[in-house]
Amino acid sequence: MEQYEPDRLTPPQAAAMRRSLRNGRAAMTRRSLLRASAGGALTLGGLGALSACGIPAAGKTEGGTSAEDHSAKEKTVSFSNWTEYMDVDEAGKHHPTLDTFTERTGIKVKYTEDINDNNEFFGKIKPQLAAGQETGRDLVVLTDWLAARLIRLGWVQKLDPSHLPHAYANLSGQFRSPDWDPGRAYSYPWQGISTVIAYNKKALDGVEVKSVSDLLDNPRLKGRVGFLTEMRDSIGMTLLDMGKDPGKFTDDDYAAAIARLQKGVDSGQIRRFTGNDYTSDITSGDFAACIAWAGDVVQLKADSPDIDFLIPDSGYLTSSDNMLIPNKARHKTNAERLIDYYYEPRPAAELAAYINYVCPVDGVKDELAKIDEDAANNPLIIPDKAMQAKSHAFRSLSAKEETAYEAQFAKLTGA
């Protein structure tokens, strides 16, 4: 039985949180890789309320809790998202796709960029959700592992498929059935986040890089290789290189991946573990090659002809940020209409053209080409079938596994 122990944080969880806030995807802006995000103050109200065994649901373990839906009478929807994760006009004052949604439906969107970090935001909404109260939000965007936790706790509502015809029809196959939400009963992706290998052609100086093994084993790259402080990305890419599936690995597989990376640390092959500050290392040539996030690489390639990326034959990691409707949301139907709107090709294309992450919407390429042909032909934004086939997701972890794995990774990185 899971136990609830307020304000208690295991050392591995604390280290993981500090790492995420300082260096991980939490430190990334969603549009500009060159500007650090605000990042929030770390509080024990976030993951700190989790013991090694987690939090019990507020009277439910699945299915969520609805409230009276006021959508018909109250033409509004409250949408919380990450910073720099929405299209804006040239003046930076309006969000064109949201404006179009309102013009079409009459539903006004209260759009708030109040998510700077998954754990920090969890701390904001946890007290209300745990008490069975509304959060004041109808729609939130959370990274897959936290989305999985809220679903497991019964803190988000099951979606009504009849309100999501475009989402159901147009969701890309690679995002259709994560192990934490099979069939997407509770969530739909906002954007995908791919983990690839980035390299600096000039810094490589003729060294051929095709795999994670090349990063770890080629002596000509010693001290010029970077891995990420995000455990799932670095371990997941290493597992793939070892012929293991990140979606099905065992404790022994994880330990072997840690040992593989530890050898790289001990030998000096790995220069350091970073968050998105690797962008300055790869641009300057301090890193000849590194594990990187595709959204950054799109921007880096646009700014520097020396920067490029590769997808190893073994595959790559894909995670997602996901739209969910919290328990007791007042405007569930309006929120579902907004989710569905972003699965229409035109709004999806406008969003993808601006933020440059992996678009989870099939059939968007032609619309995107009308806006930005280069983006439409960029496999980091619109993966082709061959690239989709190489995509892998890191499996869900139990609370016990998360504590153990983070402890091992923290020791590896010195966090």
Side-chain angles (χ1 to χ4, degrees):
M1 177 69 66
E2 296 184 342
Q3 299 296 318
Y4 175 49
E5 300 181 32
D7 299 331
R8 183 175 175 185
L9 192 67
T10 67
Q13 288 170 336
M17 289 173 67
R18 288 192 298 270
R19 205 163 54 240
S20 181
L21 282 168
R22 184 175 64 245
N23 294 319
R25 275 204 292 268
M28 298 169 63
T29 61
R30 298 308 200 192
R31 169 62 180 168
S32 173
L33 65 114
L34 299 177
R35 294 200 302 269
S37 74
L42 177 63
T43 68
L44 290 179
L47 188 57
L50 286 173
S51 72
C53 297
I55 301 176
K60 290 183 71 72
T61 56
E62 61 180 20
T65 304
S66 62
E68 182 181 351
D69 192 350
H70 298 267
S71 294
K73 295 181 179 180
E74 299 177 5
K75 294 294 186 179
T76 184
V77 61
S78 179
F79 182 10
S80 284
N81 203 349
W82 295 74
T83 57
E84 306 284 349
Y85 216 12
M86 179 66 75
D87 58 308
V88 298
D89 62 11
E90 292 183 1
K93 295 182 179 180
H94 296 280
H95 303 293
T97 56
L98 289 178
D99 291 345
T100 300
F101 174 78
T102 298
E103 291 169 5
R104 183 197 298 183
T105 64
I107 300 170
K108 294 182 179 180
V109 182
K110 180 184 177 183
Y111 183 71
T112 308
E113 294 183 339
D114 59 346
I115 305 178
N116 294 304
D117 171 73
N118 284 290
N119 286 312
E120 180 203 8
F121 187 72
F122 182 66
K124 289 181 181 179
I125 62 176
K126 177 182 67 65
Q128 291 91 350
L129 292 173
Q133 300 170 352
E134 65 173 290
T135 65
R137 299 167 175 87
D138 300 305
L139 190 64
V140 298
V141 175
L142 300 174
T143 304
D144 45 18
W145 60 266
L146 183 55
R149 181 188 298 161
L150 264 64
I151 292 170
R152 185 174 67 247
L153 294 172
W155 288 357
V156 293
Q157 298 187 54
K158 196 168 187 176
L159 301 173
D160 184 341
S162 69
H163 297 156
L164 299 160
H166 296 97
Y168 181 80
N170 296 335
L171 176 60
S172 173
Q174 73 181 104
F175 296 104
R176 277 199 174 268
S177 195
D179 66 353
W180 48 271
D181 187 15
R184 291 289 181 178
Y186 296 91
S187 69
Y188 269 90
W190 176 248
Q191 296 290 290
I193 304 168
S194 295
T195 306
V196 299
I197 294 177
Y199 60 90
N200 184 314
K201 299 174 189 176
K202 186 175 181 180
L204 281 179
D205 193 25
V207 176
E208 188 175 43
V209 172
K210 292 185 176 181
S211 68
V212 171
S213 288
D214 291 333
L215 299 186
L216 292 172
D217 297 334
N218 193 318
R220 292 180 61 187
L221 297 180
K222 184 175 181 178
R224 299 191 297 136
V225 167
F227 278 75
L228 292 167
T229 54
E230 287 286 343
M231 178 268 286
R232 289 166 176 81
D233 294 301
S234 287
I235 294 295
M237 291 293 282
T238 304
L239 285 168
L240 284 169
D241 188 70
M242 296 167 60
K244 302 296 183 180
D245 184 349
K248 299 178 181 178
F249 67 89
T250 64
D251 287 349
D252 287 343
D253 295 334
Y254 186 90
I258 286 285
R260 182 99 168 86
L261 290 172
Q262 187 67 59
K263 181 180 178 182
V265 170
D266 294 343
S267 68
Q269 184 78 7
I270 298 175
R271 183 182 184 94
R272 68 189 185 106
F273 290 82
T274 73
N276 83 306
D277 50 329
Y278 70 80
T279 55
S280 59
D281 289 291
I282 196 71
T283 302
S284 69
D286 287 343
F287 284 167
C290 63
I291 304 299
W293 290 305
D296 287 350
V297 179
V298 172
Q299 299 289 325
L300 286 172
K301 279 172 59 66
D303 295 333
S304 172
D306 291 327
I307 305 302
D308 211 334
F309 76 99
L310 65 93
I311 303 296
D313 288 340
S314 57
Y316 68 102
L317 263 289
T318 299
S319 57
S320 57
D321 288 328
N322 309 276
M323 295 177 281
L324 305 104
I325 300 175
N327 282 357
K328 299 290 186 177
R330 286 178 60 88
H331 311 104
K332 181 174 183 287
T333 298
N334 290 346
E336 289 167 336
R337 292 184 69 181
L338 185 57
I339 292 172
D340 195 62
Y341 167 74
Y342 278 106
Y343 274 81
E344 295 179 26
R346 182 64 188 185
E350 292 179 13
L351 186 64
Y354 186 81
I355 61 179
N356 295 159
Y357 279 78
V358 179
C359 181
V361 182
D362 274 346
V364 76
K365 185 172 183 177
D366 289 345
E367 286 293 337
L368 183 55
K370 297 174 185 177
I371 304 169
D372 186 336
E373 189 169 353
D374 288 340
N377 292 316
N378 190 329
L380 296 181
I381 299 174
I382 307 294
D384 57 25
K385 289 184 178 180
M387 185 167 174
Q388 287 185 25
K390 291 185 176 182
S391 172
H392 297 266
F394 198 94
R395 70 170 173 82
S396 299
L397 301 178
S398 68
K400 182 179 180 181
E401 286 177 325
E402 187 168 13
T403 298
Y405 291 168
E406 287 289 4
Q408 294 177 60
F409 193 72
K411 183 178 180 181
L412 169 73
T413 62

